[in-house]
Amino acid sequence: MTARKAQRTARLIDLLSQRRVIHLSEAAALLGVSEMTVRRDIATNQGQIAYLGGHILAAAEIEADIPYELATAADSHAAAKREACVHAVRKIRPDETIFIDCGTTLIHLIDLIPDNYQITAICYAMNVAERLSRKPNVTIIMLGGVYHPASASFSGTHDFDILNSVGINAAFLSAAGVDAKRGATCEHFHEAVVKQKVMSLARENYLVIDSSKIGKLKRAFFSAMDGFDAIITEHGEVGPDSFLPQAV
Amino acid sequence: MTARKAQRTARLIDLLSQRRVIHLSEAAALLGVSEMTVRRDIATNQGQIAYLGGHILAAAEIEADIPYELATAADSHAAAKREACVHAVRKIRPDETIFIDCGTTLIHLIDLIPDNYQITAICYAMNVAERLSRKPNVTIIMLGGVYHPASASFSGTHDFDILNSVGINAAFLSAAGVDAKRGATCEHFHEAVVKQKVMSLARENYLVIDSSKIGKLKRAFFSAMDGFDAIITEHGEVGPDSFLPQAV
DNA sequence: CTTGAAATGTGAGGATTTTAACAACCGCTC
DNA sequence: GAGCGGTTGTTAAAATCCTCACATTTCAAG
């Protein structure tokens, strides 16, 4: 595999992480190569890229026997995120109202909520709402506003109108960076605004992250570590006091 | 949905839970019906069953991004809807703010908006927002609220907070029924509330429908025919005065 | 038993996808 | 620069998929 091809494949996988499904013709246009080349790239990369009837999708989306290629392979953090959510889901009671932050981590949490739980879930990201809509007994409340493509989330001044009118038992927050000194940070300031507002209202606040986030620092600060009732990673739960950068 | 169809759909979903991916032809054989019937089953069950280039998969396999086939699979009026939107899209100016109603009709409108138009689009349905997010120069404003699965839309008392703070040049409305005497109606009352509020604020209101809707009457009334500046179907545009049930 | 509406099947056509063969191109060594 | 292997683009034919219109069946009500 040449360097060009490897780079192209990496770009495609990156696109897939945002879009999940891309049509062959669109991928070819975005990568600046012919469709045939994209086909060949996929054929030599069965582990990470799946393909189905003209559409390219992340292999993690599909597991079983599929006509052409496609395999299992999941990115290393997906397993950690899921494991963290296994611990986090125990915080949810059958008839509570919860808040679910944006990002990919808490998607796993949604999948892990028992189907018979009659919960109300508040969210502000499109992928989160979409995932929630598949749960049979979940009432979804979406915070509206202007769309931010990077995180597939909505935000605006009117979020607060809705938030002020609901009672939140538990808020599940994600972060792109966690630093013992500086606290929890994320990529975008508009997200930080929503997170802070939610944290000020929720009865319990849980930070759910995979441990690769620990030690990282991003642009937008939203809470000191002691603002959380617990920090939950794939290794389990720790209190905000016992949190240390070296803990993992 | 008949009992037979419901049972067939349940069987298909059950198969999907084991197999993840089933080819259309195989599903038809297993269910003992024609491929066309399976297609139609899927089309009326977009929430739980996904479809991609001849392959059926559990909706859980695919993230928010719903491909073209999903939205339109076996939708017999797709061509008429698209044609109606061809006429409707001429009402949009390059830098305006528009409202896009829920349903499948106006999805086609989004696809037809030129990529270089810098418009702001207000919506309240998840599939509409998802489609809008693919346009490069569109600012999306989502009205939040409680999720209604039947139309994939959100609504609540706080819609109005956002709506009151924006100026809408043109609103593109859809309807499930249009009756010369009774006016425009839709399936769900909560949609009617949003439609009415939008129509009271927008400078121009366009009803975009395929002509199969004409003569039908649904539960939730939202506007008399003279509330629209124009009614746009696949046959073109007519004024509210000249509107007659026999017009098409 | 008849009737009408809804559900289902069928087949033609057009559109899209797949495959394969071949030509053109690239980066490399000699 | 010529030669080489590997990569990429192009084309055409075959296979598959999608849509639409219409025929048929089913089912329930009259």
Side-chain angles (χ1 to χ4, degrees):
Chain A
M1 162 136 51
T2 67
R4 264 229 310 284
K5 181 169 182 173
Q7 194 179 347
R8 210 168 45 216
T9 303
R11 269 185 69 196
L12 182 57
I13 291 171
D14 188 52
L15 284 170
L16 247 26
S17 71
Q18 305 169 338
R19 285 276 306 273
R20 297 289 170 140
V21 179
I22 302 177
H23 193 270
L24 179 63
S25 60
E26 194 180 350
L30 287 168
L31 298 173
V33 293
S34 71
E35 296 187 6
M36 194 67 226
T37 298
V38 179
R39 278 180 195 280
R40 289 195 262 242
D41 285 357
I42 296 166
T44 58
N45 230 301
Q46 302 179 14
Q48 300 175 77
I49 304 173
Y51 184 79
L52 211 51
H55 304 267
I56 305 165
L57 37 166
E61 299 301 314
I62 299 210
E63 284 181 357
D65 52 325
I66 291 161
Y68 307 116
E69 37 271 12
L70 340 169
T72 55
D75 79 304
S76 55
H77 295 294
K81 288 171 180 173
R82 173 165 284 270
E83 193 56 35
C85 288
V86 168
H87 296 118
V89 78
R90 286 201 281 265
K91 301 293 185 184
I92 302 176
R93 299 283 157 260
D95 56 357
E96 287 187 344
T97 296
I98 63 173
F99 171 86
I100 298 181
D101 208 348
C102 63
T104 56
T105 302
L106 293 166
I107 296 294
H108 300 285
L109 180 69
I110 298 169
D111 293 341
L112 290 166
I113 297 171
D115 279 350
N116 61 332
Y117 275 31
Q118 308 238 351
I119 63 168
T120 297
I122 302 162
C123 66
Y124 67 114
M126 200 150 58
N127 57 332
V128 173
E130 194 278 326
R131 198 66 153 226
L132 281 167
S133 71
R134 299 190 201 144
K135 304 295 285 189
N137 291 309
V138 171
T139 300
I140 309 167
I141 297 175
M142 173 76 127
L143 309 180
V146 176
Y147 182 67
H148 302 272
S151 55
S153 64
F154 298 92
S155 74
T157 54
H158 301 286
D159 310 346
F160 294 5
D161 295 331
I162 298 184
L163 284 173
N164 281 327
S165 66
V166 295
I168 304 173
N169 294 94
F172 294 90
L173 289 304
S174 62
V178 170
D179 182 86
K181 181 178 172 188
R182 194 63 187 93
T185 51
C186 60
E187 294 282 6
H188 304 284
F189 294 103
H190 68 87
E191 291 174 28
V193 174
V194 177
K195 288 172 202 275
Q196 287 183 323
K197 177 66 179 177
V198 167
M199 290 183 71
S200 73
L201 292 170
R203 189 152 69 180
E204 293 167 0
N205 290 297
Y206 300 108
L207 181 66
V208 184
I209 50 168
D210 66 271
S211 58
S212 75
K213 305 296 195 317
I214 295 175
K216 290 188 177 156
L217 186 67
K218 299 291 176 179
R219 274 180 301 180
F221 167 84
F222 68 90
S223 175
M225 295 316 293
D226 61 8
F228 301 104
D229 294 281
I231 293 94
I232 301 170
T233 74
E234 69 268 31
H235 303 296
E237 171 187 345
V238 294
D241 303 330
S242 65
F243 181 80
L244 291 170
Q246 304 85 344
V248 185
Chain B
M1 164 136 48
T2 67
R4 261 226 317 279
K5 181 170 183 174
Q7 192 178 348
R8 212 167 44 217
T9 303
R11 267 184 73 194
L12 182 56
I13 291 171
D14 188 52
L15 284 170
L16 249 25
S17 70
Q18 306 169 339
R19 286 275 308 275
R20 298 281 178 138
V21 179
I22 303 177
H23 192 271
L24 179 63
S25 60
E26 193 181 350
L30 287 168
L31 298 173
V33 294
S34 70
E35 297 188 4
M36 195 66 219
T37 298
V38 180
R39 279 180 196 279
R40 289 194 262 239
D41 285 356
I42 296 167
T44 57
N45 231 304
Q46 298 178 17
Q48 301 175 78
I49 304 172
Y51 184 78
L52 209 53
H55 305 272
I56 305 165
L57 37 167
E61 299 304 312
I62 301 214
E63 196 82 300
D65 197 321
I66 296 174
Y68 165 79
E69 283 81 1
L70 285 186
T72 62
D75 181 351
S76 59
H77 298 295
K81 289 173 179 172
R82 189 168 10 237
E83 192 57 32
C85 288
V86 168
H87 295 117
V89 76
R90 287 201 280 267
K91 302 292 184 183
I92 302 176
R93 302 282 158 261
D95 55 356
E96 287 188 346
T97 296
I98 63 173
F99 171 85
I100 298 181
D101 208 348
C102 63
T104 57
T105 302
L106 293 167
I107 296 293
H108 300 287
L109 181 69
I110 298 169
D111 293 341
L112 291 166
I113 297 171
D115 278 350
N116 61 332
Y117 275 31
Q118 308 239 351
I119 65 169
T120 297
I122 302 163
C123 66
Y124 66 114
M126 202 149 57
N127 58 331
V128 173
E130 191 278 326
R131 199 64 155 229
L132 282 167
S133 71
R134 300 190 205 162
K135 304 294 287 189
N137 290 310
V138 171
T139 299
I140 308 168
I141 297 175
M142 174 76 127
L143 309 181
V146 176
Y147 182 68
H148 301 272
S151 56
S153 64
F154 298 92
S155 73
T157 55
H158 300 285
D159 310 346
F160 294 5
D161 296 330
I162 299 185
L163 284 173
N164 280 326
S165 67
V166 294
I168 304 172
N169 295 93
F172 294 90
L173 288 305
S174 62
V178 170
D179 182 87
K181 181 177 172 189
R182 194 64 187 92
T185 51
C186 60
E187 294 282 6
H188 304 284
F189 293 104
H190 68 86
E191 291 175 30
V193 173
V194 177
K195 288 173 202 271
Q196 287 182 323
K197 177 66 179 178
V198 167
M199 290 184 71
S200 73
L201 292 170
R203 189 153 66 180
E204 293 167 0
N205 290 299
Y206 300 108
L207 181 67
V208 184
I209 51 168
D210 66 271
S211 58
S212 76
K213 305 297 194 317
I214 295 175
K216 289 187 177 157
L217 185 67
K218 300 291 177 179
R219 273 180 301 179
F221 167 84
F222 68 91
S223 175
M225 295 316 292
D226 61 8
F228 301 104
D229 294 280
I231 293 95
I232 301 171
T233 74
E234 69 268 32
H235 303 296
E237 172 187 341
V238 294
D241 302 330
S242 65
F243 180 80
L244 290 170
Q246 305 83 342
V248 183

